[in-house]
Amino acid sequence: MLSTPERNQEPTWLVIIRLLRWHKPEGRLILMIPALWAVFLAAGGKPPLPLVGVIILGTLATSAAGCVVNDLWDRDIDPEVERTRDRPLASRALSVKVGIAIAIVAFFCAAVLAFYLNPISFWLSVAAVPVILLYPAAKRVFPVPQLVLSIAWGFAVLISWSAVTQNLSQPTWLLWGATVLWTLGFDTVYAMSDRSDDKRIGVNSSALFFGDYAAIAVGIFFAGTILCLAWLGIVIQLHLVFWLSLVVATAGWVWQSVRLNQQDLPNSAYGEMFRQNVWIGFILLAGMIFGCLYQ
């Protein structure tokens, strides 16, 4: 009761910031990371700066659009989940019409940026839109909706790599596989905090699908990520710096996998591990950049 007046006094622009999740940068960065992996690896560590800018802005616009679409789908579900009940559409701080308008603006911004890209990258951007639009529906009908999200994340690799090379080669698909498996891992961790709420309201998640074996599944996803990245490093002959970054990332993922098997892990731990994956992603990005430059 006491929080309602404060929320009503919140400026509209701040409510929109919350709708776009720009107050939680880790979610924006974790989509940007695979796109940056791809653009730097495809360009041998030296991509054109304007293209890097387009990739960064494009991921921001796309993730913003995805967040709004997700909240539009879930506006009647989010109030039943502790973590999401204060989201602007769930709390009715913004109307559905405003949410739709903001989503259209975000998609328009992403489309404008996509016109900078070559035809292959442009049409891959178009192909990603249905996946973004349908991901929120997946949790209602598909037992592992995080796989749909992972495929959406994978488009960031395909678009960015082809933006440099105008083709998709073996290294592209190895990085795509690493990204899909990594996303499955960290988003399953994220979903573990919502298991009781998701089960109660009847929506699906990978955390519920794997049940008591969710921690093992996460470990397998991270192991697959490591194998794909190692194979990629061999194929494109990355310098020792990359391998050092992969060792650090592996240590982080092993530590997380071990921790997930602990009993009575507090819900806050899952969000903490999700945020740690942002740092792991940037460590790998640094390793990839210098691994290319020192070849």
Side-chain angles (χ1 to χ4, degrees), residues 74-92:
D74 291 353
R75 64 188 183 277
D76 295 325
I77 292 177
D78 283 343
E80 305 297 321
V81 179
E82 182 179 356
R83 182 176 58 82
T84 60
R85 62 179 50 144
D86 288 331
R87 287 178 175 175
L89 293 175
S91 65
R92 305 313 191 246

Side-chain angles (χ1 to χ4, degrees), residues 11-70:
T12 302
W13 67 271
L14 279 178
V15 180
I16 294 173
I17 290 289
R18 289 197 297 110
L19 178 66
L20 301 176
R21 307 282 204 282
W22 286 352
H23 65 305
K24 295 182 176 180
E26 59 271 9
R28 306 325 100 223
L29 293 172
I30 210 163
L31 171 61
M32 190 186 299
I33 287 167
L36 292 176
W37 286 352
V39 75
F40 276 95
L41 285 174
K46 297 179 180 179
L49 289 180
L51 178 59
V52 175
V54 168
I55 295 299
I56 290 173
L57 293 175
T59 58
L60 289 174
T62 304
S63 64
C67 287
V68 181
V69 168
N70 181 79

Side-chain angles (χ1 to χ4, degrees), residues 62 69 107 110-111 122-135 152 155 159:
T62 304
V69 168
F107 275 120
F122 174 82
W123 288 111
L124 283 168
S125 301
V126 173
V129 173
V131 183
I132 295 169
L133 293 175
L134 294 176
Y135 160 67
F155 272 102
I159 293 165

Side-chain angles (χ1 to χ4, degrees), residues 11 38 56 153 180 204-205 245 289 291:
I56 290 173
W153 244 247
V180 169
N204 299 312
S205 79
S245 72
I289 293 172

